[in-house]
Amino acid sequence: MSLARLVYTFVFFALALAICLKPSKLVERVGKFLTPALLLLIAFMFFKIISMDKSVAAPTGDYLKAPLTKGFLAGYETMDAVAALNFGFVIAQAIRRFGVNDEKEVTRYEIKAGLLAGFVLFVVYAMLASIGMVGSAKFVGLENGAQVLAESIKLALGNFGLVLLAFIFTLACLTTCVGLISSGGEYFEKLFNNRLSYKSWVCIWTLFSFIMANFGLNKLLEISVPLLQIIYPVALVLIVMGISQSFLNFSKLSYLFAAAVSVGLPLIEVLDKTFKLHLGFVTSLVKALPMYKEGLSWLLPTLVVVVLTSLAVKALGNLSSLEKARQEY
């Protein structure tokens, strides 16, 4: 643990804590100041780097064999889908603080906010991907994307570029950190029936985040990637089912079975691939599923389970209705 990292993370999380302790000011502080400043800095960095001489390397490994699947799985590390489940709660609370209490109106505003945020996020990731592409041949062998960005901006702007990147990372992480800590505080306050206050939970999550941050990025990725491979599929499933709920009217049973499959299969897969733990027949069965090698063994079984449970619930409902009609006559 370096002293510079310890001091930096202490100041960073102290600032995050100060913002989170007054949730009524979140929209003003994050929406009006932090996010616009972050987007402007990213755009400036993008245009400076993209104007450099191009040095594009040929794809290798999984990026050559199955680029779409590799890109999809690498997206787990962004934690965007997992964070979205929490941020949706924060956005809903922020909307209600503006005096909007009708659930349909809250949903309508959330959809607008989600579409805008999704578009902006798409643009930001497109810029970051382009930055990685431009200097890919110059920075072969780097351990993570943060190092690629650091070397690229240093090449374009010298030491000033590193200062600029530090501001970008700080603002990007601060906005995310504030959202996660505040949503976690409000969620756990309600989950435990106000036994601990919102402020207490915010302090707990801030302290936990401060400790974890001092392990360094590579160690955090080493710890988090297996966990994300387990929890990310179920997050995606819940989001897709939630979006289509008003059209397809999924039952609680469908959600339960879909969640169980989309957590259970990735768990068995991670135990086998990462920890070399073989569960006999169960592991062999999972390994025989389509797209196991690509890390997507959960996809088709989850879809099948959702369809079957939905049909079963509908059939049982029809039988129940017929039985009631028969009894009436």
Side-chain angles (χ1 to χ4, degrees):
M1 181 187 298
S2 68
L3 179 60
R5 182 193 298 162
L6 184 66
V7 173
Y8 173 82
T9 52
F10 178 82
V11 174
F12 176 89
F13 284 106
L15 180 58
L17 178 63
I19 297 174
C20 291
L21 286 176
K22 292 186 178 180
S24 61
K25 298 291 185 180
L26 274 177
V27 174
E28 179 180 349
R29 289 170 175 171
V30 176
K32 289 185 178 180
F33 302 109
L34 295 182
T35 302
L38 170 63
L39 294 176
L40 287 173
L41 288 175
I42 291 176
F44 175 74
M45 176 181 69
F46 167 73
F47 287 114
K48 290 299 294 184
I49 294 177
I50 206 70
S51 62
M52 297 191 309
D53 293 334
K54 309 296 188 295
S55 181
V56 182
T60 59
D62 291 335
Y63 286 104
L64 177 62
K65 297 176 183 177
L68 183 60
T69 303
K70 177 60 178 177
F72 180 82
L73 294 176
Y76 286 9
E77 296 176 19
T78 67
M79 293 187 280
D80 286 337
V82 178
L85 293 173
N86 295 293
F87 287 162
F89 179 77
V90 174
I91 294 170
Q93 293 296 96
I95 292 171
R96 291 188 179 97
R97 291 191 185 103
F98 281 102
V100 181
N101 295 313
D102 182 74
E103 287 303 316
K104 290 185 178 179
E105 284 296 299
V106 172
T107 301
R108 187 167 67 86
Y109 281 117
E110 278 202 293
I111 290 173
K112 289 182 177 180
L115 290 174
L116 177 60
F119 173 74
V120 173
L121 200 57
F122 170 79
V123 173
V124 169
Y125 279 136
M127 289 193 290
L128 293 176
S130 299
I131 290 172
M133 176 194 68
V134 167
S136 55
K138 295 185 178 74
F139 311 120
V140 177
L142 296 181
E143 293 182 350
N144 55 62
Q147 293 180 358
V148 173
L149 277 175
E151 294 298 327
S152 298
I153 196 67
K154 185 177 180 181
L155 190 63
L157 296 170
N159 289 332
F160 169 75
L162 295 178
V163 175
L164 174 66
L165 187 62
F167 273 108
I168 291 174
F169 279 170
T170 299
L171 287 176
C173 294
L174 185 61
T175 52
T176 304
C177 182
V178 166
L180 289 173
I181 290 175
S182 60
S183 62
E186 292 183 347
Y187 173 77
F188 282 96
E189 181 187 25
K190 292 184 178 181
L191 182 65
F192 291 98
N193 298 319
N194 300 315
R195 292 177 184 173
L196 281 178
S197 67
Y198 166 80
K199 291 184 177 180
S200 298
W201 281 112
V202 163
C203 291
I204 290 171
W205 290 121
T206 303
L207 178 61
F208 173 79
S209 302
F210 167 71
I211 294 171
M212 293 301 296
N214 279 281
F215 283 100
L217 180 58
N218 288 331
K219 179 59 69 174
L220 287 177
L221 289 175
E222 182 182 328
I223 297 171
S224 65
V225 167
L227 292 175
L228 289 172
Q229 289 173 341
I230 296 170
I231 65 175
Y232 218 89
V234 70
L236 294 175
V237 168
L238 291 176
I239 289 172
V240 171
M241 292 181 71
I243 291 173
S244 55
Q245 175 64 31
S246 59
F247 304 104
L248 299 176
N249 194 27
F250 296 111
S251 65
K252 290 183 179 179
L253 196 63
S254 295
Y255 277 97
L256 179 62
F257 276 86
V261 172
S262 58
V263 168
L265 294 183
L267 174 60
I268 295 169
E269 190 173 321
V270 168
L271 290 176
D272 178 43
K273 289 182 177 180
T274 305
F275 300 102
K276 309 303 178 185
L277 181 59
H278 197 278
L279 302 178
F281 170 75
V282 176
T283 301
S284 299
L285 183 62
V286 173
K287 291 176 75 171
L289 291 171
M291 296 188 287
Y292 174 82
K293 292 182 179 180
E294 291 82 1
L296 296 172
S297 62
W298 57 272
L299 190 57
L300 289 179
T302 301
L303 179 61
V304 170
V305 164
V306 170
V307 172
L308 291 179
T309 53
S310 298
L311 291 175
V313 169
K314 187 175 182 179
L316 290 173
N318 290 337
L319 287 174
S320 178
S321 298
L322 288 172
E323 180 64 23
K324 286 182 180 179
R326 188 185 67 80
Q327 290 177 356
E328 289 177 358
Y329 290 100

